Amino acid sequence: MTAPFAFRLIATDGMARRGQITTPHGTVQTPAFMPVGTQGTVKAMFMDDVRATGAEVVLGNVYHLMLRPGAERVAALGGLHRFSTWPHTILTDSGGFQVMSLAQLRKLTEHGVTFQSHIDGSRHELTPERSVEIQGLLGSDIQMQLDECVRLPATPEEVERGMRLSLRWAERSRRRFEDLGGPGKGQGLYGIVQGGDVPHLRVASAEGLRALPFEGYSVGGLAVGEPQAVMLAMLDITTPVLPADKPRYLMGVGTPDDIVESVARGIDQFDCVMPTRAGRHGLAYTRFGKINLKNARHMDDPRPLDEESDCPAARDYSRAYLHHLVRTGEALGAMLLTWVNVAYYQSLMKGIRTAIEEGRYAAFVAETKEGWAKGDLPPL
Amino acid sequence: MTAPFAFRLIATDGMARRGQITTPHGTVQTPAFMPVGTQGTVKAMFMDDVRATGAEVVLGNVYHLMLRPGAERVAALGGLHRFSTWPHTILTDSGGFQVMSLAQLRKLTEHGVTFQSHIDGSRHELTPERSVEIQGLLGSDIQMQLDECVRLPATPEEVERGMRLSLRWAERSRRRFEDLGGPGKGQGLYGIVQGGDVPHLRVASAEGLRALPFEGYSVGGLAVGEPQAVMLAMLDITTPVLPADKPRYLMGVGTPDDIVESVARGIDQFDCVMPTRAGRHGLAYTRFGKINLKNARHMDDPRPLDEESDCPAARDYSRAYLHHLVRTGEALGAMLLTWVNVAYYQSLMKGIRTAIEEGRYAAFVAETKEGWAKGDLPPL
């Protein structure tokens, strides 16, 4: 018998929470950052190295995986954990966000959404039920309901329509998840708060969702281009409405600064393509802030990005070499900088967790921001 | 005081030789395959993994490195070993081959060759002296004379002209190498046999070079499109003319079959982009022959490429996953397949070395070719 999905609150500091999620594939210390493994791979990294940075959960994208290699195929191959050689916790999204941003000829109805694949034009349907089925076939430990993320700017009426639809889809998702035996397998399904930038709709969404027995609650529809202040204001009014004994996941966020601010508002989980994507574009996230390795200032610099880092990629390679790799377009440049960034995000989360435990989260945030503001090492 | 560059012959089996090269950065067991690290990186691999496959020497390309990051810059950063995080033996070419294949507006004279960079159009000059200087700045352990590789088909007169020029450049290269103190640093300089597909010119080239005190002898101008039989015929007449107590390096070769056949003709060192380039194109070299992971037959196959391999990339990932990575263009596909290929080439060399030691080289070649001919595992 599998232990049920569990969340335990270990400590709090203001609104910031230090917790632990237990899934069939391990424990996840929170606040946690989840590297994005869209197609069953965290781009340009070996899974062993992802794990060694401290990551305990990676994210898979239903939209991509349902198209290639296909959910039934992954299931026949033993599930996404085995397929992608990641035996630890996996969280999947519902596919809805990518359908709206990547697919063609979308048609949204009460029933669900039909669309054409951006790869080969093939037609597919995603409903709340099918999304949960796919996530079950993948063997995902932490699953998301299908929702509609209304693109901003939008009228309050349009935002409310999408939020209400998402609430109805939440109920259908939950029913299917239980029919498939998700709770008995120790898996979790999260409801997703929508409501755009309209405070009372955010509250109504969160209240509607907390009436359902979700294992966790996501906040969706933020970090989609709005100012950070708007995102944080939405969190300020949303997290107090969510159950204190369930994890809270802010989807698609974000910069290191977004993360520390959102933790201060009670968020426990994050994912974002930023560290991996930036690594493929010559950018490094460090305690000195963001460093552009394309910049000529690094050309003759024998120093590593951060000699005090635990990450070999940040510690054992000169800036001159990283600059050379980025300028020549060598794969190793993307491999090393992705590793640097995933490792930095994980070290940031570790610092956040320790600070909350020690009741000094505000001081930690101030110190961390000071480091970023101070900027990179002076030239030699 | 640095020990001199040394070559020791350990065993022979027919014309096949088992030896050991000692350089300032380690020993190299021969016959050896040298992965290509054109721009200071073996594409899509970490140097630690390159080393773990058994590689003891990697190749750097003077043409690329003189343009980016520049030889003087590499020297100021502590040399190519430190720059590229490869503390073991490094062999460099002279730059001549890439000048002829990549650069623009080339002008060849007795003095040397001027050309325009294929990257930014900047003008550069490479002479026998400058090539050796650059290789010294890089800190290369095994250096090559500048030569002219006449493109085939060519008239015997044209082939002879290039071969004679290469002999005169050999003398100039040697003089500069000694003036720079290369021998005292334990470095080696190899002369390069030219002569196209004209037997008596190959012999004349080898005889001319053996009059000079090179630490080793390369065979150039082969594997440039001619049939394998022509290449092997040239080796048959060339290697007997070369000193038995010096290593012999067949430049730019080749397929696994080329390698076993060339070892049988007395070659000790090889380099080729094939394993690394093939890895970026979805192709795996294995004991079952060449496997195309793009092929749909692998789509549902849970088996690894070779469950008996020592290489994690060949042993721990399903063909279905590799197929998925290749089809989706994920960097991890190139990373894993490059690793597979470099590891297979190294395991082949290890098998070759053991077989020569045991006096069963012919049997080893027959068994190995049988494995390739038998082909891949049958479908499940």
Side-chain angles (χ1 to χ4, degrees):
Chain A
M1 187 187 145
T2 311
F5 183 98
F7 177 67
R8 184 164 70 85
L9 209 52
I10 296 169
T12 58
D13 183 3
M15 291 287 286
R17 296 142 52 98
R18 170 75 184 87
Q20 178 180 294
I21 298 169
T22 306
T23 80
H25 290 89
T27 57
V28 178
Q29 303 302 323
T30 65
F33 181 82
M34 312 184 287
V36 175
T38 296
Q39 306 196 103
T41 158
V42 175
K43 289 186 192 297
M45 284 193 79
F46 293 116
M47 284 298 195
D48 285 350
D49 292 332
V50 174
R51 177 64 172 175
T53 64
E56 294 175 312
V57 46
V58 301
L59 178 145
N61 286 115
V62 154
Y63 173 77
H64 289 89
L65 292 168
M66 72 184 280
L67 297 180
R68 289 188 304 199
E72 276 74 11
R73 173 165 292 118
V74 173
L77 290 162
L80 187 58
H81 295 84
R82 180 181 295 182
F83 182 68
S84 66
T85 74
W86 176 261
H88 317 291
T89 298
I90 290 177
L91 178 148
T92 44
D93 64 7
S94 69
F97 187 82
Q98 262 91 24
V99 166
M100 296 322 250
S101 56
L102 292 178
Q104 295 153 345
L105 289 180
R106 298 178 297 271
K107 200 182 159 204
L108 182 84
T109 67
E110 182 70 28
H111 182 62
V113 56
T114 56
F115 61 93
Q116 272 193 331
S117 159
H118 72 290
I119 304 161
D120 62 5
S122 56
R123 293 211 62 85
H124 300 266
E125 184 180 49
L126 208 51
T127 63
E129 291 80 8
R130 178 62 183 156
S131 175
V132 165
E133 280 163 20
I134 290 172
Q135 295 179 74
L137 286 164
L138 298 175
S140 171
D141 301 295
I142 308 180
Q143 305 178 18
M144 297 298 127
Q145 70 150 104
L146 188 67
D147 61 337
E148 188 199 355
C149 174
V150 174
R151 203 170 294 203
L152 301 180
T155 62
E157 291 70 30
E158 178 58 10
V159 171
E160 176 156 15
R161 189 203 52 73
M163 183 274 281
R164 297 282 170 205
L165 178 68
S166 296
L167 271 182
R168 293 190 297 276
W169 283 4
E171 284 194 54
R172 286 168 55 189
S173 301
R174 186 72 208 174
R175 199 171 313 129
R176 189 73 186 124
F177 178 70
E178 294 187 358
D179 287 349
L180 288 169
K185 295 177 195 156
Q187 297 169 342
L189 178 69
Y190 286 24
I192 304 182
V193 178
Q194 288 290 352
D197 52 2
V198 186
H200 77 271
L201 295 180
R202 286 276 166 189
V203 171
S205 176
E207 284 175 343
L209 289 170
R210 66 176 293 169
L212 293 166
F214 287 114
E215 284 76 14
Y217 293 86
S218 303
V219 182
L222 295 176
V224 288
E226 80 284 0
Q228 190 200 45
V230 172
M231 177 179 87
L232 299 180
M234 291 302 110
L235 293 182
D236 281 330
I237 55 160
T238 301
T239 54
V241 186
L242 294 173
D245 60 347
K246 300 288 175 69
R248 302 160 183 167
Y249 161 33
L250 178 55
M251 306 180 82
V253 172
T255 64
D257 190 72
D258 287 338
I259 289 174
V260 296
E261 291 297 338
S262 301
V263 165
R265 289 160 175 83
I267 297 295
D268 307 300
Q269 294 173 258
F270 301 89
D271 80 284
C272 190
V273 295
M274 217 169 268
T276 39
R277 182 172 291 166
R280 298 195 301 281
H281 290 90
L283 299 169
Y285 285 96
T286 73
R287 65 190 166 100
F288 311 118
K290 203 157 144 184
I291 298 177
N292 187 346
L293 269 307
K294 276 183 223 145
N295 197 307
R297 79 192 292 260
H298 305 294
M299 194 179 275
D300 296 294
D301 196 333
R303 296 172 298 180
L305 273 171
D306 182 356
E307 64 179 6
E308 291 177 19
S309 174
D310 290 333
C311 172
R315 189 191 58 207
D316 299 342
Y317 297 83
S318 70
R319 289 158 179 252
Y321 186 55
L322 294 171
H323 171 82
H324 168 69
L325 295 174
V326 169
R327 289 290 280 256
T328 54
E330 285 285 353
L332 186 60
M335 291 160 63
L336 289 171
L337 292 178
T338 302
W339 192 2
V340 164
N341 293 343
V342 170
Y344 178 69
Y345 268 65
Q346 292 303 326
S347 79
L348 177 65
M349 302 318 292
K350 190 176 174 188
I352 287 172
R353 291 192 296 266
T354 303
I356 298 171
E357 284 169 17
E358 295 173 352
R360 52 183 297 281
Y361 187 65
F364 171 82
V365 172
E367 289 156 19
T368 302
K369 291 194 179 202
E370 197 184 314
W372 297 334
K374 209 170 136 190
D376 197 7
L377 302 175
L380 276 182
Chain B
M1 186 185 145
T2 312
F5 183 98
F7 177 68
R8 186 164 69 87
L9 210 52
I10 295 168
T12 58
D13 182 2
M15 291 288 286
R17 298 141 52 96
R18 170 75 183 88
Q20 179 181 293
I21 297 169
T22 307
T23 80
H25 290 89
T27 58
V28 179
Q29 303 302 324
T30 66
F33 181 83
M34 311 183 288
V36 175
T38 295
Q39 305 196 106
T41 159
V42 176
K43 289 184 192 298
M45 285 194 78
F46 293 117
M47 284 298 195
D48 285 350
D49 292 331
V50 174
R51 176 64 172 176
T53 65
E56 295 175 312
V57 46
V58 301
L59 179 144
N61 285 115
V62 154
Y63 173 77
H64 290 89
L65 292 167
M66 72 184 280
L67 297 180
R68 289 190 302 199
E72 277 73 11
R73 174 166 290 118
V74 173
L77 290 161
L80 187 57
H81 296 83
R82 178 180 298 182
F83 182 68
S84 66
T85 73
W86 176 259
H88 317 291
T89 298
I90 290 177
L91 178 147
T92 44
D93 64 7
S94 68
F97 186 83
Q98 262 91 22
V99 167
M100 295 323 247
S101 57
L102 291 179
Q104 293 152 346
L105 288 180
R106 299 177 296 272
K107 201 182 156 201
L108 182 83
T109 67
E110 182 69 30
H111 182 62
V113 55
T114 55
F115 61 93
Q116 272 194 330
S117 160
H118 71 290
I119 303 160
D120 62 5
S122 55
R123 292 212 63 84
H124 299 266
E125 184 180 49
L126 209 51
T127 63
E129 292 79 9
R130 177 61 183 157
S131 175
V132 166
E133 281 163 19
I134 289 171
Q135 296 178 73
L137 287 164
L138 298 175
S140 172
D141 302 295
I142 309 180
Q143 306 178 18
M144 297 297 128
Q145 70 149 105
L146 188 67
D147 62 338
E148 188 200 353
C149 175
V150 175
R151 203 171 294 203
L152 300 180
T155 63
E157 292 69 31
E158 179 58 10
V159 171
E160 176 156 14
R161 189 203 53 71
M163 183 274 281
R164 298 283 169 203
L165 178 67
S166 296
L167 272 182
R168 293 190 295 278
W169 283 4
E171 284 196 54
R172 286 168 54 189
S173 301
R174 185 71 209 175
R175 197 171 316 129
R176 190 73 186 123
F177 178 70
E178 294 188 357
D179 287 349
L180 288 169
K185 293 178 197 157
Q187 297 169 342
L189 177 70
Y190 286 23
I192 303 181
V193 178
Q194 288 291 352
D197 52 2
V198 187
H200 77 271
L201 296 179
R202 286 275 167 191
V203 171
S205 176
E207 285 176 341
L209 289 171
R210 65 176 293 171
L212 293 166
F214 287 115
E215 284 76 13
Y217 293 86
S218 303
V219 183
L222 294 177
V224 288
E226 78 285 0
Q228 189 199 47
V230 172
M231 178 179 85
L232 299 179
M234 292 302 109
L235 293 183
D236 281 330
I237 57 160
T238 301
T239 55
V241 186
L242 295 172
D245 60 349
K246 300 287 175 68
R248 301 161 183 165
Y249 160 34
L250 179 55
M251 306 179 83
V253 172
T255 65
D257 190 74
D258 288 338
I259 289 174
V260 296
E261 290 297 339
S262 302
V263 165
R265 287 160 176 83
I267 298 294
D268 308 300
Q269 294 173 260
F270 301 89
D271 81 283
C272 191
V273 295
M274 216 170 268
T276 39
R277 183 172 290 165
R280 299 195 300 281
H281 290 90
L283 300 169
Y285 285 95
T286 73
R287 64 190 167 100
F288 310 119
K290 203 157 142 184
I291 298 177
N292 187 345
L293 269 307
K294 276 183 225 147
N295 197 306
R297 80 192 293 261
H298 305 294
M299 195 181 276
D300 295 296
D301 196 334
R303 295 172 299 180
L305 273 171
D306 183 355
E307 63 179 7
E308 291 177 18
S309 174
D310 290 333
C311 172
R315 188 190 59 208
D316 299 341
Y317 298 82
S318 70
R319 288 158 179 253
Y321 186 56
L322 294 171
H323 170 83
H324 168 70
L325 295 174
V326 169
R327 289 288 281 255
T328 53
E330 284 285 352
L332 187 60
M335 291 160 64
L336 289 170
L337 292 178
T338 302
W339 193 2
V340 164
N341 292 343
V342 170
Y344 178 69
Y345 267 65
Q346 292 304 327
S347 78
L348 176 66
M349 302 318 292
K350 191 177 173 186
I352 287 172
R353 291 192 296 266
T354 303
I356 298 171
E357 285 169 17
E358 295 173 351
R360 53 182 299 281
Y361 187 65
F364 170 82
V365 172
E367 289 156 20
T368 302
K369 290 194 180 203
E370 199 184 313
W372 297 335
K374 210 169 134 191
D376 197 7
L377 302 175
L380 276 184

Short mmCIF file of all heavy atoms in Angstrom, two decimals, chain A residues 73-97:
data_model
loop_
_atom_site.label_atom_id
_atom_site.label_comp_id
_atom_site.label_asym_id
_atom_site.label_seq_id
_atom_site.Cartn_x
_atom_site.Cartn_y
_atom_site.Cartn_z
N ARG A 73 2.48 5.51 -25.02
CA ARG A 73 3.82 4.96 -25.26
C ARG A 73 4.68 5.07 -23.99
O ARG A 73 5.36 4.12 -23.61
CB ARG A 73 4.50 5.67 -26.43
CG ARG A 73 5.96 5.25 -26.64
CD ARG A 73 6.49 5.68 -28.00
NE ARG A 73 5.85 4.95 -29.07
CZ ARG A 73 5.11 5.49 -30.02
NH1 ARG A 73 4.93 6.80 -30.04
NH2 ARG A 73 4.56 4.74 -30.94
N VAL A 74 4.63 6.23 -23.35
CA VAL A 74 5.41 6.40 -22.12
C VAL A 74 4.95 5.38 -21.08
O VAL A 74 5.77 4.75 -20.40
CB VAL A 74 5.30 7.83 -21.58
CG1 VAL A 74 5.96 7.95 -20.20
CG2 VAL A 74 5.94 8.82 -22.55
N ALA A 75 3.62 5.18 -20.99
CA ALA A 75 3.09 4.21 -20.01
C ALA A 75 3.62 2.80 -20.34
O ALA A 75 4.06 2.07 -19.44
CB ALA A 75 1.57 4.22 -20.03
N ALA A 76 3.59 2.43 -21.62
CA ALA A 76 4.07 1.09 -22.01
C ALA A 76 5.56 0.93 -21.71
O ALA A 76 6.04 -0.19 -21.48
CB ALA A 76 3.80 0.86 -23.50
N LEU A 77 6.29 2.04 -21.70
CA LEU A 77 7.74 1.99 -21.43
C LEU A 77 8.03 2.11 -19.93
O LEU A 77 9.18 2.23 -19.53
CB LEU A 77 8.45 3.11 -22.21
CG LEU A 77 8.50 2.89 -23.73
CD1 LEU A 77 8.82 4.20 -24.44
CD2 LEU A 77 9.55 1.83 -24.09
N GLY A 78 6.97 2.10 -19.12
CA GLY A 78 7.20 2.07 -17.68
C GLY A 78 6.98 3.39 -16.98
O GLY A 78 7.29 3.52 -15.80
N GLY A 79 6.45 4.37 -17.72
CA GLY A 79 6.16 5.67 -17.09
C GLY A 79 7.29 6.67 -17.30
O GLY A 79 8.39 6.33 -17.71
N LEU A 80 6.95 7.91 -16.99
CA LEU A 80 7.89 9.00 -17.28
C LEU A 80 9.14 8.94 -16.40
O LEU A 80 10.22 9.34 -16.84
CB LEU A 80 7.17 10.35 -17.11
CG LEU A 80 7.94 11.60 -17.53
CD1 LEU A 80 8.38 11.53 -18.99
CD2 LEU A 80 7.09 12.85 -17.29
N HIS A 81 9.00 8.44 -15.19
CA HIS A 81 10.18 8.35 -14.33
C HIS A 81 11.23 7.46 -14.97
O HIS A 81 12.40 7.83 -15.10
CB HIS A 81 9.81 7.76 -12.96
CG HIS A 81 8.89 8.62 -12.15
ND1 HIS A 81 7.52 8.60 -12.32
CD2 HIS A 81 9.13 9.52 -11.17
CE1 HIS A 81 6.97 9.46 -11.46
NE2 HIS A 81 7.92 10.03 -10.76
N ARG A 82 10.82 6.28 -15.38
CA ARG A 82 11.78 5.35 -15.98
C ARG A 82 12.24 5.87 -17.34
O ARG A 82 13.43 5.85 -17.65
CB ARG A 82 11.15 3.96 -16.15
CG ARG A 82 12.14 2.98 -16.78
CD ARG A 82 11.55 1.60 -16.99
NE ARG A 82 11.22 0.96 -15.72
CZ ARG A 82 10.74 -0.26 -15.62
NH1 ARG A 82 10.51 -0.97 -16.71
NH2 ARG A 82 10.47 -0.78 -14.44
N PHE A 83 11.29 6.34 -18.15
CA PHE A 83 11.59 6.81 -19.50
C PHE A 83 12.66 7.90 -19.47
O PHE A 83 13.64 7.85 -20.22
CB PHE A 83 10.31 7.33 -20.15
CG PHE A 83 10.47 7.81 -21.57
CD1 PHE A 83 10.73 6.92 -22.60
CD2 PHE A 83 10.32 9.16 -21.88
CE1 PHE A 83 10.87 7.36 -23.91
CE2 PHE A 83 10.46 9.61 -23.19
CZ PHE A 83 10.73 8.70 -24.20
N SER A 84 12.48 8.84 -18.57
CA SER A 84 13.39 10.00 -18.56
C SER A 84 14.54 9.83 -17.56
O SER A 84 15.31 10.76 -17.36
CB SER A 84 12.61 11.27 -18.24
OG SER A 84 12.11 11.22 -16.92
N THR A 85 14.67 8.66 -16.97
CA THR A 85 15.74 8.35 -16.01
C THR A 85 15.74 9.34 -14.85
O THR A 85 16.80 9.74 -14.37
CB THR A 85 17.14 8.30 -16.68
OG1 THR A 85 17.59 9.62 -17.00
CG2 THR A 85 17.12 7.44 -17.94
N TRP A 86 14.54 9.71 -14.38
CA TRP A 86 14.41 10.57 -13.20
C TRP A 86 13.53 9.82 -12.20
O TRP A 86 12.30 9.87 -12.30
CB TRP A 86 13.78 11.92 -13.58
CG TRP A 86 13.54 12.82 -12.39
CD1 TRP A 86 12.35 13.00 -11.73
CD2 TRP A 86 14.49 13.64 -11.70
NE1 TRP A 86 12.51 13.88 -10.68
CE2 TRP A 86 13.81 14.30 -10.64
CE3 TRP A 86 15.86 13.90 -11.87
CZ2 TRP A 86 14.45 15.18 -9.77
CZ3 TRP A 86 16.49 14.78 -11.01
CH2 TRP A 86 15.79 15.42 -9.97
N PRO A 87 14.14 9.12 -11.24
CA PRO A 87 13.34 8.29 -10.33
C PRO A 87 12.73 9.06 -9.17
O PRO A 87 12.10 8.45 -8.31
CB PRO A 87 14.36 7.26 -9.82
CG PRO A 87 15.67 7.97 -9.89
CD PRO A 87 15.58 8.95 -11.04
N HIS A 88 12.90 10.37 -9.16
CA HIS A 88 12.39 11.18 -8.06
C HIS A 88 11.03 11.77 -8.46
O HIS A 88 10.44 11.36 -9.44
CB HIS A 88 13.43 12.24 -7.70
CG HIS A 88 14.83 11.69 -7.68
ND1 HIS A 88 15.25 10.81 -6.72
CD2 HIS A 88 15.86 11.82 -8.56
CE1 HIS A 88 16.50 10.44 -6.98
NE2 HIS A 88 16.89 11.04 -8.09
N THR A 89 10.58 12.72 -7.67
CA THR A 89 9.23 13.25 -7.88
C THR A 89 9.10 13.99 -9.22
O THR A 89 10.01 14.73 -9.62
CB THR A 89 8.86 14.19 -6.71
OG1 THR A 89 8.87 13.41 -5.50
CG2 THR A 89 7.50 14.82 -6.90
N ILE A 90 7.98 13.76 -9.88
CA ILE A 90 7.66 14.47 -11.12
C ILE A 90 6.33 15.19 -10.95
O ILE A 90 5.36 14.61 -10.45
CB ILE A 90 7.57 13.50 -12.32
CG1 ILE A 90 8.97 12.97 -12.67
CG2 ILE A 90 6.93 14.18 -13.53
CD1 ILE A 90 8.98 11.95 -13.81
N LEU A 91 6.32 16.45 -11.36
CA LEU A 91 5.09 17.23 -11.43
C LEU A 91 4.79 17.47 -12.91
O LEU A 91 5.71 17.71 -13.69
CB LEU A 91 5.27 18.57 -10.70
CG LEU A 91 4.10 19.56 -10.71
CD1 LEU A 91 4.09 20.36 -9.39
CD2 LEU A 91 4.16 20.54 -11.88
N THR A 92 3.53 17.36 -13.27
CA THR A 92 3.16 17.68 -14.65
C THR A 92 2.13 18.80 -14.66
O THR A 92 1.33 18.93 -13.73
CB THR A 92 2.54 16.46 -15.37
OG1 THR A 92 1.62 15.82 -14.48
CG2 THR A 92 3.61 15.47 -15.78
N ASP A 93 2.19 19.59 -15.71
CA ASP A 93 1.11 20.56 -15.90
C ASP A 93 -0.03 19.84 -16.64
O ASP A 93 0.06 18.65 -16.93
CB ASP A 93 1.62 21.79 -16.66
CG ASP A 93 2.08 21.47 -18.08
OD1 ASP A 93 1.89 20.33 -18.54
OD2 ASP A 93 2.65 22.37 -18.72
N SER A 94 -1.09 20.58 -16.93
CA SER A 94 -2.27 19.95 -17.53
C SER A 94 -2.25 19.97 -19.04
O SER A 94 -3.06 19.32 -19.69
CB SER A 94 -3.52 20.70 -17.06
OG SER A 94 -3.53 22.00 -17.66
N GLY A 95 -1.35 20.74 -19.61
CA GLY A 95 -1.29 20.89 -21.06
C GLY A 95 -2.02 22.12 -21.55
O GLY A 95 -1.78 22.59 -22.67
N GLY A 96 -2.91 22.66 -20.73
CA GLY A 96 -3.75 23.77 -21.18
C GLY A 96 -2.97 25.01 -21.58
O GLY A 96 -3.24 25.62 -22.62
N PHE A 97 -1.97 25.36 -20.79
CA PHE A 97 -1.23 26.58 -21.07
C PHE A 97 -0.53 26.51 -22.43
O PHE A 97 -0.59 27.44 -23.22
CB PHE A 97 -0.21 26.82 -19.95
CG PHE A 97 0.50 28.14 -20.06
CD1 PHE A 97 -0.10 29.30 -19.59
CD2 PHE A 97 1.75 28.23 -20.65
CE1 PHE A 97 0.54 30.53 -19.71
CE2 PHE A 97 2.40 29.46 -20.78
CZ PHE A 97 1.79 30.62 -20.30
#
